[in-house]
Short mmCIF file of all heavy atoms in Angstrom, two decimals:
data_model
loop_
_atom_site.label_atom_id
_atom_site.label_comp_id
_atom_site.label_asym_id
_atom_site.label_seq_id
_atom_site.Cartn_x
_atom_site.Cartn_y
_atom_site.Cartn_z
N VAL E 135 -7.01 -0.54 97.26
CA VAL E 135 -6.85 -1.55 96.21
C VAL E 135 -6.93 -0.92 94.82
O VAL E 135 -6.17 -1.27 93.92
CB VAL E 135 -7.93 -2.65 96.36
CG1 VAL E 135 -7.86 -3.62 95.19
CG2 VAL E 135 -7.75 -3.39 97.68
N HIS E 136 -7.84 0.04 94.64
CA HIS E 136 -8.05 0.61 93.31
C HIS E 136 -7.84 2.12 93.23
O HIS E 136 -8.05 2.72 92.17
CB HIS E 136 -9.48 0.29 92.81
CG HIS E 136 -10.55 0.68 93.78
ND1 HIS E 136 -10.96 1.97 93.98
CD2 HIS E 136 -11.28 -0.09 94.63
CE1 HIS E 136 -11.92 2.00 94.89
NE2 HIS E 136 -12.12 0.77 95.32
N ASP E 137 -7.44 2.75 94.35
CA ASP E 137 -7.20 4.20 94.34
C ASP E 137 -5.75 4.48 94.73
O ASP E 137 -5.39 4.32 95.90
CB ASP E 137 -8.15 4.90 95.32
CG ASP E 137 -8.13 6.41 95.16
OD1 ASP E 137 -7.02 6.99 95.15
OD2 ASP E 137 -9.21 7.01 95.06
N PRO E 138 -4.90 4.89 93.78
CA PRO E 138 -3.47 5.07 94.10
C PRO E 138 -3.19 6.14 95.14
O PRO E 138 -2.24 6.01 95.90
CB PRO E 138 -2.85 5.44 92.74
CG PRO E 138 -3.99 5.90 91.90
CD PRO E 138 -5.18 5.15 92.37
N ASP E 139 -4.02 7.18 95.18
CA ASP E 139 -3.79 8.24 96.17
C ASP E 139 -4.06 7.73 97.59
O ASP E 139 -3.29 8.01 98.52
CB ASP E 139 -4.67 9.45 95.88
CG ASP E 139 -4.29 10.16 94.59
OD1 ASP E 139 -3.10 10.09 94.21
OD2 ASP E 139 -5.17 10.78 93.96
N ILE E 140 -5.14 6.99 97.74
CA ILE E 140 -5.46 6.43 99.06
C ILE E 140 -4.42 5.36 99.42
O ILE E 140 -4.00 5.26 100.58
CB ILE E 140 -6.89 5.86 99.08
CG1 ILE E 140 -7.89 7.00 98.88
CG2 ILE E 140 -7.16 5.14 100.41
CD1 ILE E 140 -9.34 6.54 98.75
N ARG E 141 -4.00 4.57 98.43
CA ARG E 141 -2.97 3.56 98.69
C ARG E 141 -1.69 4.20 99.20
O ARG E 141 -1.07 3.70 100.14
CB ARG E 141 -2.70 2.75 97.41
CG ARG E 141 -1.64 1.66 97.62
CD ARG E 141 -1.69 0.62 96.52
NE ARG E 141 -1.45 1.17 95.20
CZ ARG E 141 -2.36 1.30 94.24
NH1 ARG E 141 -3.62 0.95 94.46
NH2 ARG E 141 -2.05 1.79 93.06
N ALA E 142 -1.30 5.33 98.60
CA ALA E 142 -0.09 6.02 99.05
C ALA E 142 -0.24 6.50 100.49
O ALA E 142 0.72 6.43 101.28
CB ALA E 142 0.19 7.20 98.13
N MET E 143 -1.43 6.97 100.85
CA MET E 143 -1.66 7.42 102.23
C MET E 143 -1.60 6.25 103.21
O MET E 143 -1.04 6.38 104.31
CB MET E 143 -3.01 8.12 102.32
CG MET E 143 -3.09 9.43 101.57
SD MET E 143 -4.76 10.14 101.61
CE MET E 143 -4.93 10.53 103.36
N VAL E 144 -2.18 5.12 102.81
CA VAL E 144 -2.16 3.94 103.68
C VAL E 144 -0.72 3.47 103.89
O VAL E 144 -0.31 3.19 105.02
CB VAL E 144 -3.02 2.81 103.07
CG1 VAL E 144 -2.78 1.48 103.80
CG2 VAL E 144 -4.50 3.17 103.14
N MET E 145 0.04 3.38 102.81
CA MET E 145 1.43 2.94 102.92
C MET E 145 2.26 3.91 103.76
O MET E 145 3.12 3.50 104.54
CB MET E 145 2.04 2.77 101.53
CG MET E 145 1.42 1.67 100.69
SD MET E 145 1.40 0.05 101.54
CE MET E 145 3.16 -0.23 101.75
N GLU E 146 1.98 5.19 103.61
CA GLU E 146 2.66 6.19 104.42
C GLU E 146 2.34 5.98 105.90
O GLU E 146 3.22 6.10 106.77
CB GLU E 146 2.23 7.59 103.99
CG GLU E 146 2.87 8.72 104.76
CD GLU E 146 2.34 10.08 104.36
OE1 GLU E 146 1.10 10.27 104.46
OE2 GLU E 146 3.13 10.94 103.94
N GLY E 147 1.08 5.66 106.18
CA GLY E 147 0.69 5.39 107.57
C GLY E 147 1.39 4.17 108.14
O GLY E 147 1.85 4.18 109.28
N PHE E 148 1.49 3.09 107.33
CA PHE E 148 2.21 1.89 107.78
C PHE E 148 3.67 2.22 108.07
O PHE E 148 4.23 1.80 109.09
CB PHE E 148 2.12 0.80 106.72
CG PHE E 148 0.77 0.17 106.56
CD1 PHE E 148 0.44 -0.55 105.41
CD2 PHE E 148 -0.20 0.27 107.56
CE1 PHE E 148 -0.80 -1.14 105.26
CE2 PHE E 148 -1.45 -0.31 107.42
CZ PHE E 148 -1.75 -1.01 106.26
N THR E 149 4.30 2.93 107.16
CA THR E 149 5.71 3.27 107.32
C THR E 149 5.94 4.14 108.54
O THR E 149 6.90 3.94 109.30
CB THR E 149 6.23 3.99 106.05
OG1 THR E 149 6.09 3.13 104.93
CG2 THR E 149 7.70 4.37 106.20
N GLU E 150 5.05 5.09 108.74
CA GLU E 150 5.16 5.99 109.89
C GLU E 150 5.08 5.21 111.20
O GLU E 150 5.85 5.46 112.14
CB GLU E 150 4.05 7.02 109.81
CG GLU E 150 4.14 8.14 110.82
CD GLU E 150 3.05 9.18 110.59
OE1 GLU E 150 2.98 9.74 109.48
OE2 GLU E 150 2.26 9.42 111.53
N LEU E 151 4.15 4.26 111.26
CA LEU E 151 4.01 3.46 112.47
C LEU E 151 5.24 2.58 112.69
O LEU E 151 5.74 2.48 113.82
CB LEU E 151 2.74 2.60 112.37
CG LEU E 151 2.39 1.77 113.61
CD1 LEU E 151 2.12 2.67 114.82
CD2 LEU E 151 1.16 0.89 113.33
N ASP E 152 5.73 1.94 111.62
CA ASP E 152 6.94 1.11 111.74
C ASP E 152 8.11 1.94 112.27
O ASP E 152 8.86 1.47 113.14
CB ASP E 152 7.32 0.53 110.37
CG ASP E 152 6.38 -0.59 109.93
OD1 ASP E 152 5.60 -1.08 110.76
OD2 ASP E 152 6.43 -0.96 108.73
N LYS E 153 8.28 3.13 111.75
CA LYS E 153 9.40 3.98 112.18
C LYS E 153 9.27 4.38 113.65
O LYS E 153 10.25 4.43 114.38
CB LYS E 153 9.49 5.22 111.30
CG LYS E 153 10.01 4.95 109.90
CD LYS E 153 10.09 6.24 109.09
CE LYS E 153 10.68 6.00 107.71
NZ LYS E 153 10.74 7.25 106.91
N ALA E 154 8.04 4.66 114.07
CA ALA E 154 7.82 5.05 115.46
C ALA E 154 8.17 3.90 116.41
O ALA E 154 8.82 4.09 117.45
CB ALA E 154 6.38 5.50 115.66
N PHE E 155 7.73 2.69 116.05
CA PHE E 155 8.07 1.53 116.88
C PHE E 155 9.58 1.24 116.83
O PHE E 155 10.19 0.89 117.85
CB PHE E 155 7.29 0.29 116.42
CG PHE E 155 5.93 0.16 117.03
CD1 PHE E 155 4.80 0.08 116.22
CD2 PHE E 155 5.76 0.09 118.40
CE1 PHE E 155 3.53 -0.07 116.78
CE2 PHE E 155 4.51 -0.04 118.97
CZ PHE E 155 3.38 -0.12 118.15
N ALA E 156 10.17 1.36 115.65
CA ALA E 156 11.61 1.09 115.52
C ALA E 156 12.42 2.02 116.43
O ALA E 156 13.42 1.59 117.03
CB ALA E 156 12.05 1.25 114.07
N ALA E 157 12.00 3.27 116.54
CA ALA E 157 12.69 4.21 117.42
C ALA E 157 12.63 3.75 118.87
O ALA E 157 13.60 3.87 119.63
CB ALA E 157 12.09 5.60 117.27
N CYS E 158 11.48 3.18 119.27
CA CYS E 158 11.34 2.65 120.63
C CYS E 158 12.32 1.50 120.87
O CYS E 158 12.99 1.44 121.91
CB CYS E 158 9.91 2.15 120.86
SG CYS E 158 8.63 3.41 120.78
N PHE E 159 12.40 0.60 119.90
CA PHE E 159 13.27 -0.57 120.06
C PHE E 159 14.75 -0.20 119.98
O PHE E 159 15.58 -0.80 120.67
CB PHE E 159 12.92 -1.64 119.03
CG PHE E 159 11.61 -2.33 119.30
CD1 PHE E 159 10.54 -2.21 118.41
CD2 PHE E 159 11.42 -3.09 120.43
CE1 PHE E 159 9.33 -2.84 118.65
CE2 PHE E 159 10.22 -3.73 120.69
CZ PHE E 159 9.16 -3.60 119.79
N ARG E 160 15.10 0.79 119.15
CA ARG E 160 16.51 1.23 119.09
C ARG E 160 16.95 1.81 120.42
O ARG E 160 18.06 1.53 120.90
CB ARG E 160 16.68 2.26 117.97
CG ARG E 160 16.79 1.67 116.58
CD ARG E 160 17.37 2.68 115.60
NE ARG E 160 16.56 3.88 115.52
CZ ARG E 160 15.53 4.04 114.69
NH1 ARG E 160 15.19 3.06 113.88
NH2 ARG E 160 14.85 5.17 114.68
N LEU E 161 16.07 2.60 121.03
CA LEU E 161 16.41 3.17 122.33
C LEU E 161 16.55 2.08 123.38
O LEU E 161 17.47 2.10 124.20
CB LEU E 161 15.35 4.18 122.75
CG LEU E 161 15.57 4.86 124.10
CD1 LEU E 161 16.87 5.67 124.09
CD2 LEU E 161 14.39 5.76 124.46
N ALA E 162 15.64 1.12 123.36
CA ALA E 162 15.70 0.02 124.32
C ALA E 162 16.99 -0.77 124.15
O ALA E 162 17.63 -1.17 125.13
CB ALA E 162 14.49 -0.90 124.14
N LYS E 163 17.41 -0.98 122.91
CA LYS E 163 18.65 -1.69 122.64
C LYS E 163 19.85 -0.90 123.14
O LYS E 163 20.77 -1.44 123.77
CB LYS E 163 18.78 -1.96 121.14
CG LYS E 163 19.96 -2.84 120.75
CD LYS E 163 19.91 -3.18 119.27
CE LYS E 163 21.12 -4.03 118.85
NZ LYS E 163 21.05 -4.39 117.41
N ALA E 164 19.83 0.41 122.89
CA ALA E 164 20.92 1.28 123.35
C ALA E 164 21.00 1.31 124.88
O ALA E 164 22.09 1.44 125.45
CB ALA E 164 20.74 2.68 122.80
N ASN E 165 19.85 1.16 125.54
CA ASN E 165 19.81 1.18 127.00
C ASN E 165 20.10 -0.19 127.62
O ASN E 165 20.05 -0.35 128.84
CB ASN E 165 18.45 1.65 127.49
CG ASN E 165 18.23 3.14 127.23
OD1 ASN E 165 19.19 3.88 127.03
ND2 ASN E 165 16.98 3.58 127.25
N GLY E 166 20.38 -1.19 126.78
CA GLY E 166 20.70 -2.51 127.28
C GLY E 166 19.49 -3.35 127.65
O GLY E 166 19.63 -4.40 128.28
N GLU E 167 18.29 -2.94 127.24
CA GLU E 167 17.09 -3.72 127.54
C GLU E 167 16.90 -4.85 126.54
O GLU E 167 16.11 -5.78 126.80
CB GLU E 167 15.86 -2.81 127.50
CG GLU E 167 15.84 -1.73 128.58
CD GLU E 167 14.57 -0.90 128.48
OE1 GLU E 167 13.55 -1.32 129.07
OE2 GLU E 167 14.59 0.14 127.79
N LEU E 168 17.55 -4.78 125.40
CA LEU E 168 17.49 -5.81 124.37
C LEU E 168 18.90 -6.26 124.03
O LEU E 168 19.85 -5.48 124.13
CB LEU E 168 16.80 -5.27 123.10
CG LEU E 168 15.33 -4.87 123.24
CD1 LEU E 168 14.87 -4.15 121.97
CD2 LEU E 168 14.45 -6.09 123.50
N PRO E 169 19.05 -7.50 123.61
CA PRO E 169 20.39 -8.00 123.28
C PRO E 169 20.90 -7.39 121.98
O PRO E 169 20.14 -6.83 121.18
CB PRO E 169 20.18 -9.51 123.14
CG PRO E 169 18.74 -9.64 122.73
CD PRO E 169 18.01 -8.55 123.45
N GLU E 170 22.18 -7.55 121.74
CA GLU E 170 22.80 -7.01 120.52
C GLU E 170 22.20 -7.63 119.26
O GLU E 170 22.19 -7.04 118.19
CB GLU E 170 24.31 -7.24 120.55
CG GLU E 170 25.06 -6.28 121.45
CD GLU E 170 24.87 -4.83 121.02
OE1 GLU E 170 25.00 -4.55 119.81
OE2 GLU E 170 24.58 -3.98 121.89
N SER E 171 21.72 -8.87 119.38
CA SER E 171 21.16 -9.56 118.22
C SER E 171 19.77 -9.05 117.83
O SER E 171 19.27 -9.37 116.75
CB SER E 171 21.07 -11.07 118.51
OG SER E 171 20.24 -11.31 119.64
#
Side-chain angles (χ1 to χ4, degrees):
V135 174
H136 52 76
D137 191 309
D139 293 332
I140 296 175
R141 181 162 61 250
M143 293 175 67
V144 168
M145 294 306 298
E146 180 184 57
F148 289 162
T149 300
E150 188 175 303
L151 184 62
D152 287 347
K153 287 181 177 178
F155 274 123
C158 296
F159 288 116
R160 280 197 301 271
L161 180 62
K163 186 174 178 178
N165 289 341
E167 295 181 87
L168 296 171
E170 283 300 313
S171 60

